[in-house]
Amino acid sequence: MGGPTGGGGEGRARWRHAWLLVVPTSSLVVADAWRWRWFTHPDVAIAQRAADILLSTDGLHVYARAPLAQMGPLAIALIKVPHAAYNVVVAALVLPFLFMAARPLLVDGVSAARRTTWMVATALLIAPWAQLAWKGHADDALVLVGAAGMLTGLAIKRPRWLVVGWVVAVAGKPTALALAPLLLAYPSSLWVSLALTAAMWGPFLSVDLRAMMRAGQGVMAVVPGDGLAYLGVAHGRPPAWVRPLQLLISWVGTGIGHLRARPAAGLLGALAARAVIEPNPAPAYSIALVAIALFVDAGRRVPVATAIAAVGFWTSQLVLDGQSGMPRLAFLLALVLWCAWIVSGKALDVAGLWSAVPRLRIVRAAAALAAAGVWVATFAVPAEASAVLQRGSVGIGVRCVQWGVNHLSGAALMFGPQTPVDGQYGPATAGGVEQFQAIYATAETGSKTVDGRVGPLTGTVLLEADFGGAPAAWHCADHVPHDPRFRRAAQRNLVVIRHEIAVTGPGGVVTTG
């Protein structure tokens, strides 16, 4: 990053500031990722299968045989690292990212208060970046490190940084193409980067172009609560125009930011606008916003962008819990508008308001925010624990659902297990869940919830019934969404289950008494 320079004590002081700005947060990210080393997210299993293909003699067909692996070759290969070590490696990538993001704070004239405020703001990145590790998203982490390298290269006028950052990003994920406008600053770096990209992706494209195009369309379906659903797009497979439009938005936003000499704000606004029309409102699509927002806020007194992006991340989780998607969209659009205001050169730095607050209050507020960040990283429930299992989901959580639905519905309706317990959430599993919901998963309002998806309510009913006696080694409670607030409703619904089992017996055998 063209690190801290200077002679003697001045240089050592800048390095000390650099370490203090990034090491505490980086350590907490690694600790949070390590905490989930026992957990295997479904995306990890997808990446592992893709890695087996990539490292075989048929490696160039990986995107045809594993189309769900929306990753670059470097990210796929990295999954072969032992699971616990993988979590640490991906989490540790936050260290170089934050070093580069902190560069504007290491020049002369930056106050200690501004550095402290930015360091506290980095606490908002702890839980999001740790999710990149335990969810198996090394691809997104590599794109962020690459983007950081490119933004730093522009700031210090080093074309080599642009090239290296670009290569890291596109090796992590094909959607790094959104960063292409940043290469326009130096024609030489543009042509070198394009040549290296062709060398990296050319073999895959030449072997099976059609498979690569299908993989590029994405795998996430339009669901209630995302931006496309509010625009009237039917639920299910997203329209073919979504991905090209997202790429166009990324190029336009990033390009305008670059031309206005505010590339970080342009990139952040483009990513936020892209997230608005993302076919799925998962929190994973907001992690990059929190990260890039730290670049925007490193030169400002109040971390407005980081705060908005962080709230957008957590409101994304509410959508997966079955709540309205409007808060998420509102914060995403607010972030787009804030970035547009910055790019226009009219955004205020809130300097007058900030300087009017007594220093003691600043310290107290910073300490409170730091404590909140530590609490979130240490105690907050991971997104997986309250996500939604639906068609396309894979893993142990799906096995738990299949086992529970088979045994509980079978006891009540006098038929044996119908859904294969294979960990693949397909049409048969969705049908079994619908049958189960029609009998048991009644909301507290009294209305039936029959959608073939396992959210917090259905998951809580299954949890209260011990998943029909699923193997304890599966740790189903850790893999299936549930919410303690639904416990009473679940217990009431279980009266039906216990009554049916008492009358018919397990497997539909009629009993007496």
Side-chain angles (χ1 to χ4, degrees), residues 18-106:
W19 284 104
L20 288 175
L21 285 171
V22 304
V23 170
T25 294
S26 300
S27 300
L28 289 172
V29 171
V30 173
D32 194 22
W34 175 257
R35 191 165 61 98
W36 295 99
R37 63 191 180 279
W38 57 269
F39 179 75
T40 302
H41 191 274
D43 289 351
V44 173
I46 294 173
Q48 288 173 338
R49 179 175 181 273
D52 291 337
I53 300 172
L54 178 67
L55 300 178
S56 70
T57 56
D58 198 26
L60 294 180
H61 291 87
V62 61
Y63 296 104
R65 295 178 54 190
L68 294 180
Q70 305 285 295
M71 297 176 157
L74 179 57
I76 292 176
L78 191 60
I79 202 70
K80 298 301 289 184
V81 175
H83 186 60
Y86 174 91
N87 279 16
V88 172
V89 170
V90 177
L93 289 175
V94 75
L95 184 65
F97 177 88
L98 288 178
F99 258 121
M100 289 182 278
R103 187 197 60 81
L105 297 167
L106 302 177

Side-chain angles (χ1 to χ4, degrees), residues 343-493:
V343 170
S344 70
K346 298 179 180 179
L348 299 175
D349 203 11
V350 205
L353 294 176
W354 186 251
S355 59
V357 180
R359 183 176 299 276
L360 182 59
R361 293 183 183 178
I362 295 174
V363 174
R364 288 179 178 175
L369 187 55
V374 172
W375 183 90
V376 167
T378 306
F379 300 107
V381 177
E384 177 64 19
S386 54
V388 175
L389 295 176
Q390 55 190 342
R391 288 198 185 193
S393 299
V394 296
I396 295 177
V398 178
R399 288 179 181 271
C400 295
V401 169
Q402 292 167 333
W403 184 285
V405 167
N406 283 341
H407 286 71
L408 297 172
S409 295
L413 301 179
M414 294 184 287
F415 58 76
Q418 299 293 308
T419 303
V421 183
D422 57 5
Q424 306 287 329
Y425 206 119
T429 302
V433 170
E434 287 179 358
Q435 287 182 319
F436 176 80
Q437 290 172 328
I439 306 170
Y440 306 127
T442 306
E444 291 182 294
T445 59
S447 62
K448 293 289 186 179
T449 304
V450 181
D451 57 6
R453 301 162 67 233
V454 179
L457 175 60
T458 304
T460 304
V461 177
L462 289 168
L463 175 64
E464 290 296 313
D466 197 27
F467 298 97
W474 290 0
H475 298 287
C476 291
D478 296 324
H479 297 278
V480 177
H482 57 275
D483 192 324
R485 293 173 296 179
F486 292 119
R487 188 172 183 180
R488 288 188 178 180
Q491 289 172 342
R492 289 199 299 269
N493 296 337

